[in-house]
């Protein structure tokens, strides 16, 4: 599978349908797979933190979540055609799981959010087998019990929505202990499924301006978003070092 090296993170060159197909293949294999969808903030975090970069690169699938990553791939001479956001991939996978009967566990969000997400998802995917829910606010010592609950549910697919980089670290830390076939870190998607947060209208997503829409709606994100120009500057400055094979 073709990958582009973005500041040391090897991102798969897949679009949304290709990512969903890979995940369905993963569901058919009797082993654990991690799926992460890094945006430019997360790649910057990995650039500054080698251990986190290794953790990302250990994942079985890494997709480009955000226009910043798509542009970076162009600058680096191995263009990814379009962004493959976790939310969109998750929706497509859910529509397929609605047919195949694979079982889903959702971990994350404030108390009550996963329950609201379940209600809405079952309206869209009435045959979807949701076998467990757990909010994302727990102490470290509760982790083994949560992993046990997930394993006991018989889930094939686990959505982990703790925000980045927490969810990636959580998945990596528990990958040996989890019996699921796929664990996907999909950030704030549960809030969107629950109808608590609105996704940016299609216009903003298609034109690569989703970040601008989110900034207007959630201005406190400005601190995190300041990583974006730093990311662009680093990609341009270090581009040659990351020349593609
Ligand atoms: N969250 C959680 N546990 C935590 C911290 C965050 O479950 O300890 C949830 C939070 O409620 C929200 C999501 O993680 O639903 C983070 O969403 P955000 O949009 O900030 O993440 P992003 O998609 O930008 O990584």
């Amino acid at each position: 599978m073709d990958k582009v090296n973005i500041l040391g993170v090897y991102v798969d060159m897949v679009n949304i349908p290709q990512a969903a197909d890979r995940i369905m293949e993963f569901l058919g294999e009797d082993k654990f797979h991690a799926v992460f969808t890094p945006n430019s903030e997360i790649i910057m975090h990995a650039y500054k933190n080698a251990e986190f970069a290794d953790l990302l690169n250990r994942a079985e699938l890494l997709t480009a979540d955000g226009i910043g990553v798509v542009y970076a791939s162009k600058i680096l001479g191995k263009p990814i055609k379009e962004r493959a956001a976790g939310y969109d991939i998750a929706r497509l996978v859910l529509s397929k799981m609605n047919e195949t009967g694979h079982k889903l566990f959702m971990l994350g969000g404030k108390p009550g959010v996963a329950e609201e997400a379940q209600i809405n998802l079952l309206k869209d995917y009435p045959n979807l087998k949701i076998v467990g829910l757990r909010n994302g606010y727990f102490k470290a010592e509760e982790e083994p019990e949560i992993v046990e609950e997930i394993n006991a549910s018989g889930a094939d697919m686990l959505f982990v929505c703790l925000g980045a980089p927490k969810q990636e670290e959580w998945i990596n830390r528990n990958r040996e202990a989890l019996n699921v076939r796929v664990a996907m870190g999909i950030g704030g998607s549960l809030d969107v499924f629950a109808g608590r947060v609105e996704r940016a209208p299609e216009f903003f997503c298609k034109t690569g301006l989703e970040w601008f829409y989110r900034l207007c709606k959630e201005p406190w994100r400005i601190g995190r978003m300041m990583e974006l120009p730093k990311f662009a500057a680093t990609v341009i400055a270090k581009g040659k070092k990351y020349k593609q094979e």
Side-chain angles (χ1 to χ4, degrees):
M1 204 45 155
D2 219 4
K3 292 171 187 277
V4 50
N5 177 358
I6 302 183
L7 303 182
V9 176
Y10 290 80
V11 179
D12 287 279
M13 303 188 62
V14 289
N15 61 19
I16 296 162
Q18 289 165 334
D21 285 347
R22 286 284 291 286
I23 293 168
M24 295 315 290
E25 281 170 28
F26 292 165
L27 283 173
E29 293 169 11
D30 194 14
K31 63 184 184 101
F32 182 87
H33 305 79
V35 178
F36 302 137
T37 69
N39 59 15
S40 34
E41 259 170 62
I42 288 303
I43 293 184
M44 262 322 258
H45 182 63
Y47 178 66
K48 294 179 195 157
N49 178 337
E51 217 175 292
F52 188 72
D54 286 347
L55 180 163
L56 287 183
N57 288 327
R58 213 170 294 139
E60 281 69 17
L61 182 65
L62 283 183
T63 75
D65 191 343
I67 204 68
V69 184
V70 172
Y71 279 137
S73 73
K74 289 191 177 140
I75 291 168
L76 295 169
K78 216 171 169 187
I80 299 174
K81 285 208 184 73
E82 57 194 25
R83 68 185 284 229
Y87 175 83
D88 297 311
I89 298 169
R91 278 254 175 224
L92 189 50
V93 166
L94 288 173
S95 71
K96 292 174 190 274
M97 286 172 63
N98 189 45
E99 307 293 323
T100 60
H102 287 104
K103 296 178 222 131
L104 171 70
F105 194 110
M106 298 193 284
L107 168 67
K110 299 206 175 88
V113 167
E115 285 75 6
E116 287 168 29
Q118 165 168 254
I119 293 170
N120 289 340
L121 289 178
L122 288 175
K123 283 184 202 151
D124 294 344
Y125 315 106
N127 301 321
L128 184 65
K129 293 198 172 71
I130 301 179
V131 292
L133 308 170
R134 180 72 159 79
N135 76 65
Y137 294 84
F138 48 81
K139 298 194 193 88
E141 57 264 33
E142 289 176 88
E143 237 172 79
E145 173 204 310
I146 293 172
V147 169
E148 228 169 84
E149 191 183 328
I150 294 165
N151 288 344
S153 75
D156 305 293
M157 164 64 84
L158 172 65
F159 285 169
V160 184
C161 306
L162 306 173
K166 207 169 182 177
Q167 61 204 12
E168 289 79 9
E169 287 166 350
W170 192 92
I171 291 173
N172 186 59
R173 193 161 59 241
N174 292 297
R175 62 178 290 153
E176 306 299 331
L178 284 164
N179 287 339
V180 299
R181 289 178 172 179
V182 182
M184 266 185 92
I186 52 171
S189 298
L190 266 193
D191 292 317
V192 183
F193 294 148
R196 291 213 182 179
V197 171
E198 262 176 66
R199 189 138 199 258
E202 204 161 305
F203 165 79
F204 289 91
C205 294
K206 285 247 159 81
T207 50
L209 289 171
E210 190 183 354
W211 61 272
F212 177 69
Y213 177 86
R214 285 193 90 176
L215 184 60
C216 295
K217 285 264 179 181
E218 302 163 274
W220 58 88
R221 283 180 180 273
I222 186 74
R224 285 172 58 175
M225 283 189 182
M226 287 315 288
E227 286 298 301
L228 194 69
K230 281 190 217 155
F231 171 74
T234 312
V235 169
I236 292 164
K238 308 270 176 191
K240 283 208 182 77
K241 182 170 166 224
Y242 292 95
K243 219 164 84 358
Q244 307 301 312
E245 295 84 46

